[in-house]
Amino acid sequence: MDGSPARPAPLAPDAAPAAPGRARLAALTLLTLGFFAANSLLARAALRPGLADAATFTAIRLASGAAALALLALASRRARPRGGSAGSALALFAYAAAFSLAYRRIDAGPGAFLLFFAVQATMVGWSVLRGARPARRQWAGLAVALAGLGWLTLPGAHAPDARGAALMLAAGVAWGAYTLRGRGVRDPAGATAANFALAVPLALALVIASAGSVHLTARGAALAAASGAVASGVGYVLWYTVVPALGAARAAAVQLAVPAIVPLAAAGLLGEAITPRLFAAGTAILAGVALAIAPAPQPARSSRASA
């Protein structure tokens, strides 16, 4: 994904170019999901009590992520980060900005569900438009997961603030686009570092445009830096690494596990409530994810065929 990326080939749901072993892939995927969940918790912890404004939080998050990735490149004696693009940087900035603005208005749990619903819809929708045909098992798993999301947003489920919900859905679309653009990246660390660096000027422009509402505390700055340097910077490198092995449909499905993790962590760390409906919807989502990413059964070889 250089400055002028070639037109991508149609996405295959189960394509796994240069896939790592199953155990290693599972471990990397679980670690990545942990980083994604941490992003929601760190953002809500900083933005709910007003420890930082959304624009400043976004700028510190992207700048600290760029700095951490540059240090990683220096420590590993890598060349200057390459592989980023203006399009990917714009998608990254759009995601980070909308994400921060949304978490000023909605709780971490519902926000995570909305975010990854939009991610799933974007990635699978694009995959189908490009000619991919997920297996029936994958469609069934995604349907179960989406049913859980629909259940959560039914009237009486303490629907989130409408503006905050719209912003989080926009963040999910942007993150889905960023994930899809990273599918063919050969150097995940270099591409992520370059994209973060290219997104920083956009974040600074947002701070300037929001000069009248800028405010920041030491704790807010620390939370934003942790979100950028660890949960975002390192987490996105891992995500760019596992996406090609997972394939588009599975990558979209596995991310739906994050909204089920976030409410549990938010209840313990941020004091957010877990309602029976939230618990039931999260269970449905996890069941759908498990069905969507389960390997297809292999036909048993007959003794005659092997003779």
Side-chain angles (χ1 to χ4, degrees):
M1 191 185 302
D2 296 324
S4 300
R7 184 179 181 82
L11 301 177
D14 294 309
R22 286 187 178 180
R24 180 170 177 267
L25 176 61
L28 289 176
T29 302
L30 288 173
L31 183 59
T32 304
L33 296 180
F35 282 131
F36 287 175
N39 260 329
S40 291
L41 298 171
L42 290 168
R44 188 60 174 154
L47 296 168
R48 178 181 63 176
L51 301 179
D53 67 281
T56 305
F57 183 92
T58 300
I60 294 176
R61 179 184 178 185
L62 292 174
S64 60
L69 291 167
L71 288 175
L72 286 174
L74 182 62
S76 59
R77 299 182 180 179
R78 297 169 57 91
R80 181 179 178 182
R82 293 178 296 177
S85 69
S88 293
L90 180 60
L92 176 62
F93 164 73
Y95 152 72
F99 181 89
S100 299
L101 289 166
Y103 268 137
R104 292 179 60 241
R105 311 177 70 95
I106 57 178
D107 286 346
F113 278 101
L114 290 166
L115 174 71
F116 289 100
F117 169 80
V119 172
Q120 183 274 334
T122 300
M123 294 183 64
V124 172
W126 178 255
S127 177
V128 172
L129 285 175
R130 297 304 303 270
R133 291 295 178 264
R136 291 182 180 178
R137 169 181 48 81
Q138 292 176 304
W139 281 123
L142 292 173
V144 171
L146 288 174
L149 287 172
W151 189 3
L152 179 70
T153 56
L154 284 174
H158 305 287
D161 173 82
R163 185 176 178 183
L167 285 166
M168 193 58 80
L169 289 172
V173 172
W175 174 248
Y178 182 74
T179 300
L180 288 169
R181 290 184 63 87
R183 211 175 148 264
V185 167
R186 295 182 179 275
D187 178 11
T192 305
N195 289 331
F196 264 76
L198 290 171
V200 169
L202 297 175
L204 293 177
L206 179 63
V207 172
I208 294 173
S210 308
S213 59
V214 168
H215 64 278
L216 180 67
T217 65
R219 186 179 178 189
L223 292 169
S227 175
V230 181
S232 297
V234 178
Y236 295 176
V237 170
L238 290 177
W239 184 238
Y240 261 8
T241 301
V242 301
V243 163
L246 290 173
R250 287 181 178 178
V254 77
Q255 290 183 92
L256 286 170
V258 176
I261 298 171
V262 171
L264 297 175
L269 298 175
L270 304 178
E272 294 184 4
I274 298 180
T275 65
R277 181 173 292 188
L278 184 63
F279 176 80
T283 301
I285 288 170
L286 285 177
V289 170
L291 180 60
I293 66 175
Q298 297 296 325
R301 292 184 178 182
S302 66
S303 58
R304 291 182 180 180
S306 59

